[in-house]
Amino acid sequence: MNKDTVITYQSAGGNIRFAPDGEYWITEVSGLQTDISLNTSQSVGQRGATVNGQSVQPKKITFNGAILGRGGAAGIEPLRRALLAAVLPLESARITFAQEGQSWYLEGWPTKTPALSDGLRPQSFQFQFYVPYPYFRSAEQRSYQLSGLRAMWHTPFYTGGHFYISKYTEDAFCRVANTGNVAQAITLTLYAAAEVTRPVIYNVERGSHIRVNKVMAPGEQMVISTHDKDKDAGQAVRFFAQDGSEGNGFKYITPDSDLAMVVAPGGNIFMADAAANKQNLRCTLTTAGGERHSI
């Protein structure tokens, strides 16, 4: 890590961003090293030992930092509450480290909630985080298709005969894997290549859905986010008209839609459908971990 590293703590209680340009600073992180235990044996007269096995130990990471509270004493109390609400006992969390355009994350549980100092500002804090799987995992983006055109042309290719450049996906379901321990919020992008009536996205295993109660004209697009930061900013549902103008699309979402839809740990199954002209729907699902799935 360096002074420009941005650390994000994400849990069911909220998201906290630790960064040099923010209200929360991380001044020291200890325990990131990986400890390895070796099981050895030694017979009589043997020089040295024989390694029979080895195991990588979990991490216990300690974070030290400060709440700056640039807004004064009145502004520091909400920051304290937000930190305590995010780092909750018994709640799993994801900690992401972003540096020089790349991101890695660890998942685990807090073993010591934040201990905050007294006084006005700044206020120092410390908390501990237990990581059972000790390796960093990449948060780079991937793309999966839920509905739309799937590329069929690849190189090298055979020049004789007939082949398709693209093909409309006929898969009934899209399987999305969350290899972590924390549920991830999603962003859905629905685009109408031609007229589509009342498109809907199903989370099959959860038994929930998000439905757009509208006949989408060619070129129209809906971007639906279940991220807390987008909800707080009033950007949970955005509608883009044919001319590219942007507006609030919340009025098109049916009341029974699940705007808290997530990708749960393990396997998840999603399905795209529409009341009419499903073949004209192009839908992409992006998880909070950065994976993109075209439904």
Side-chain angles (χ1 to χ4, degrees):
M1 296 194 309
N2 58 36
K3 62 182 181 64
D4 297 320
T5 301
V6 176
I7 301 174
T8 305
Y9 188 101
Q10 175 192 355
S11 74
N15 298 336
I16 299 294
R17 179 178 180 269
F18 304 95
D21 60 349
E23 293 284 6
Y24 300 96
W25 279 17
I26 291 293
T27 56
E28 182 183 4
V29 181
S30 60
L32 286 176
Q33 75 278 359
T34 300
D35 295 327
I36 303 171
S37 296
L38 298 178
N39 180 17
T40 63
S41 61
Q42 187 177 29
S43 59
V44 177
Q46 179 180 350
R47 297 177 180 177
T50 300
V51 176
N52 299 319
Q54 53 185 321
S55 60
V56 179
Q57 300 303 302
K59 297 179 187 290
K60 182 175 285 188
I61 305 172
T62 301
F63 293 88
N64 293 283
I67 304 176
L68 298 186
R70 294 185 176 94
I76 202 167
E77 185 59 29
L79 298 173
R80 286 170 54 99
R81 293 179 181 178
L83 179 62
L84 292 172
V87 188
L88 284 172
L90 308 179
E91 287 288 348
S92 60
R94 169 179 290 193
I95 297 182
T96 303
F97 298 78
Q99 178 180 312
E100 298 178 354
Q102 295 182 312
S103 298
W104 303 269
Y105 68 88
L106 294 168
E107 292 182 333
W109 289 261
T111 54
K112 182 185 292 185
T113 56
L116 294 122
S117 62
D118 297 326
L120 297 177
R121 61 183 181 92
Q123 292 190 354
S124 61
F125 63 82
Q126 181 188 85
F127 67 90
Q128 288 185 341
F129 193 71
Y130 181 82
V131 182
Y133 183 80
Y135 296 114
F136 281 91
R137 289 179 265 193
S138 173
E140 298 304 314
Q141 293 191 346
R142 298 178 187 175
S143 181
Y144 300 76
Q145 185 150 302
L146 298 188
S147 71
L149 296 176
R150 178 172 298 167
M152 303 292 289
W153 186 84
H154 303 280
T155 56
F157 66 95
Y158 175 58
T159 57
H162 302 280
F163 62 91
Y164 292 97
I165 294 177
S166 61
K167 180 182 179 182
Y168 181 80
T169 179
E170 298 176 349
D171 295 342
F173 304 102
C174 175
R175 289 169 174 81
V176 180
N178 179 357
T179 58
N181 305 315
V182 180
Q184 300 178 11
I186 62 173
T187 299
L188 291 169
T189 303
L190 287 74
Y191 175 79
E195 185 177 285
V196 181
T197 302
R198 302 188 72 211
V200 57
I201 304 301
Y202 293 100
N203 184 328
V204 177
E205 294 185 335
R206 186 167 174 168
S208 63
H209 66 270
I210 296 177
R211 188 187 306 275
V212 178
N213 190 22
K214 184 185 188 306
V215 178
M216 296 182 66
E220 290 184 341
Q221 181 173 275
M222 296 283 294
V223 179
I224 304 166
S225 172
T226 65
H227 293 261
D228 290 337
K229 61 180 180 63
D230 291 328
K231 294 177 183 177
D232 294 341
Q235 300 288 312
V237 185
R238 290 177 291 159
F239 173 72
F240 295 87
Q242 292 170 301
D243 60 2
S245 59
E246 179 181 347
N248 191 327
F250 187 78
K251 61 184 177 182
Y252 300 122
I253 303 300
T254 58
D256 59 347
S257 292
D258 179 14
L259 291 180
M261 187 178 288
V262 296
V263 176
N268 298 260
I269 299 177
F270 291 87
M271 183 179 72
D273 202 356
N277 301 323
K278 172 188 173 183
Q279 70 276 8
N280 298 329
L281 178 64
R282 312 288 183 262
C283 183
T284 301
L285 180 152
T286 305
T287 67
E291 293 188 349
R292 300 182 61 208
H293 308 251
S294 295
I295 304 177

